[in-house]
Amino acid sequence: MTEVKREVFGQMPQEEGGGVVEKFILKSDSMKVEILSLGCIITALEMKGRDGEFSDVVLGFDTLEGYMRKHPFFGAVVGRVANRIAKGRFTVDGKEYQLFLNNGPNSLHGGARGFDKVLWSPQVLPNGICFFRLSPDGEEGYPGDLKVWVTYMLSGGELAINYRAQTSKATPINLTNHAYFNLAGQGSQDIYDHEISIEADSYLPVDDTKIPTGEVAAVQGTGFDLRQPVLLGKHLQKFHLDGFDHNFCLQQAEARRLVARAHHPTTGRTMEVHSTQPGIQFYTGNNLDGSLKGKGAVMYPRHSAFCLETQNWPDAVNKPHFPNTILRPGEEYNHTTWLVFSAA
């Protein structure tokens, strides 16, 4: 059985509309997940280790103030389009749209005020929580009124995240959750002692602004071959990599399948990622620099967390040979990602 509780987390500043931010606590026998109505942010995720002790394995802040300041999307749902759109420009049905540029020459994670920075309307479910919002036509430059539902369901050690959307005009859409994990416990110095595997035969090489070049490259014989588990620190050294911030191309199937796995041998904690999405962005916290003070006043240095963001491929709206990212009126966007936590 999952227990669901709600409490007030804080109040948005007046210039942001002044609404009340609630925190929802989902609790099963093996896990506890805390989620905010601001940005559908996962602010804590506690799981057992081999020793039976609980640790919080996601990065974040103790108070609303932390989330109101600039931060790298800790735990948030990002949209309308996750990841990067080259030059913030795209064309749908012959009409060109220009977005705000918030990542060098590109638009990232929905723009200046994306889905991560707004209040969502919550509805408590028997074993979870559903958040809803209407993203109005023209918000951040995107076309169409977009209705969006994000549902978190906790069952034992499995957290399911379902994303649904409907639009009044053709629009690109790509939704994911940007949680940063460290299975040794948030605040641990690095993730070099984690084993990572990703079920992908190919990945997307990128230019120096992190936009895919358009090539779909085989992982075979490269540092991007993560089909067998690798110890992250040794692997980065062996291939002289500064870290990962790349999309891995998954088997094109709408059905649930295992797409990635992270394991921390010292604590025995494992996280499996299952999804219906066509891609997964593996990011190793390369831009964390120790300047942010997180939960319990700890610093978050470079490579102190990883993200496994299930999603469509970056800049797909400008790459006809990438999976379709356009949602049209009368259709429904519907994807689910399952995070399965265990310890042995």
Side-chain angles (χ1 to χ4, degrees):
M1 276 301 292
T2 299
E3 185 187 327
V4 185
K5 285 201 221 148
R6 67 196 295 177
E7 58 187 51
V8 171
F9 187 67
Q11 186 150 13
M12 297 283 274
Q14 280 313 121
E15 62 272 20
E16 295 280 349
V20 171
V21 179
E22 287 190 279
K23 177 165 81 175
F24 296 85
I25 301 148
L26 314 184
K27 198 166 179 230
S28 72
D29 50 356
S30 58
M31 270 176 72
K32 182 167 91 165
V33 187
E34 301 184 358
I35 307 160
L36 303 181
S37 57
L38 170 70
C40 307
I41 290 170
I42 297 175
T43 185
L45 194 154
E46 294 181 14
M47 67 174 295
K48 284 179 184 169
R50 188 189 292 120
D51 57 6
E53 293 293 309
F54 279 91
S55 276
D56 183 0
V57 296
V58 297
L59 275 54
F61 302 104
D62 288 321
T63 64
L64 183 58
E65 287 69 46
Y67 292 104
M68 295 312 299
R69 288 197 286 269
K70 187 171 163 53
H71 69 93
F73 305 94
F74 285 148
V77 165
V78 288
R80 185 176 297 197
V81 174
N83 218 303
R84 292 170 180 85
I85 294 179
K87 301 184 174 59
R89 266 203 301 266
F90 62 89
T91 300
V92 178
D93 297 340
K95 183 167 186 212
E96 185 172 275
Y97 294 89
Q98 177 66 56
L99 309 171
F100 182 73
L101 305 181
N102 63 334
N103 186 250
N106 306 314
S107 178
L108 175 70
H109 294 331
R113 193 167 187 264
F115 289 6
D116 60 297
K117 295 179 180 69
V118 293
L119 278 178
W120 293 62
S121 304
Q123 184 193 349
V124 173
L125 304 172
N127 56 344
I129 175 84
C130 177
F131 295 103
F132 170 79
R133 82 173 294 252
L134 173 69
S135 170
D137 186 12
E139 182 175 64
E140 287 296 324
Y142 288 99
D145 284 331
L146 186 76
K147 292 178 177 170
V148 193
W149 296 264
V150 176
T151 305
Y152 292 90
M153 304 282 264
L154 181 63
S155 173
E158 179 178 280
L159 179 66
I161 312 175
N162 172 257
Y163 307 89
R164 282 174 54 223
Q166 295 161 0
T167 186
S168 65
K169 286 183 194 168
T171 180
I173 180 171
N174 187 19
L175 303 176
T176 191
N177 179 285
H178 209 312
Y180 286 69
F181 295 95
N182 187 322
L183 297 181
Q186 72 91 28
S188 300
Q189 275 300 292
D190 60 61
I191 47 171
Y192 301 141
D193 57 353
H194 284 57
E195 289 172 3
I196 300 283
S197 57
I198 298 177
E199 303 283 324
D201 297 329
S202 51
Y203 78 102
L204 301 180
V206 293
D207 67 18
D208 54 9
T209 74
K210 301 276 195 296
I211 292 289
T213 60
E215 180 193 359
V216 180
V219 299
Q220 185 74 39
T222 73
F224 295 86
D225 191 347
L226 305 176
R227 292 173 295 186
Q228 295 298 317
V230 302
L231 194 61
L232 197 55
K234 281 192 174 147
H235 185 82
L236 292 175
Q237 273 181 324
K238 179 181 172 184
F239 288 96
H240 306 291
L241 297 169
D242 288 335
F244 289 95
D245 191 2
H246 294 79
N247 179 82
F248 287 76
C249 308
L250 305 172
Q251 171 201 344
Q252 303 299 295
E254 291 284 300
R256 171 178 178 161
R257 68 260 188 241
L258 174 70
V259 297
R261 189 171 178 273
H263 175 64
H264 185 244
T266 314
T267 60
R269 292 193 183 99
T270 297
M271 177 176 89
E272 284 183 359
V273 183
H274 301 246
S275 187
T276 59
Q277 289 275 23
I280 188 166
Q281 186 89 1
F282 178 39
Y283 174 53
T284 49
N286 314 329
N287 297 323
L288 296 174
D289 60 5
S291 63
L292 288 174
K293 198 170 272 194
K295 288 178 281 189
V298 297
M299 298 302 190
Y300 294 141
R302 180 174 163 84
H303 296 164
S304 61
F306 65 89
C307 304
L308 286 166
E309 304 156 70
T310 51
Q311 56 179 26
N312 201 336
W313 302 3
D315 201 34
V317 70
N318 291 311
K319 306 272 197 297
H321 60 296
F322 284 9
N324 171 53
T325 188
I326 303 294
L327 179 70
R328 296 185 177 275
E331 299 174 343
E332 182 170 78
Y333 175 92
N334 193 335
H335 278 290
T336 306
T337 291
W338 296 263
L339 303 175
V340 184
F341 298 90
S342 60

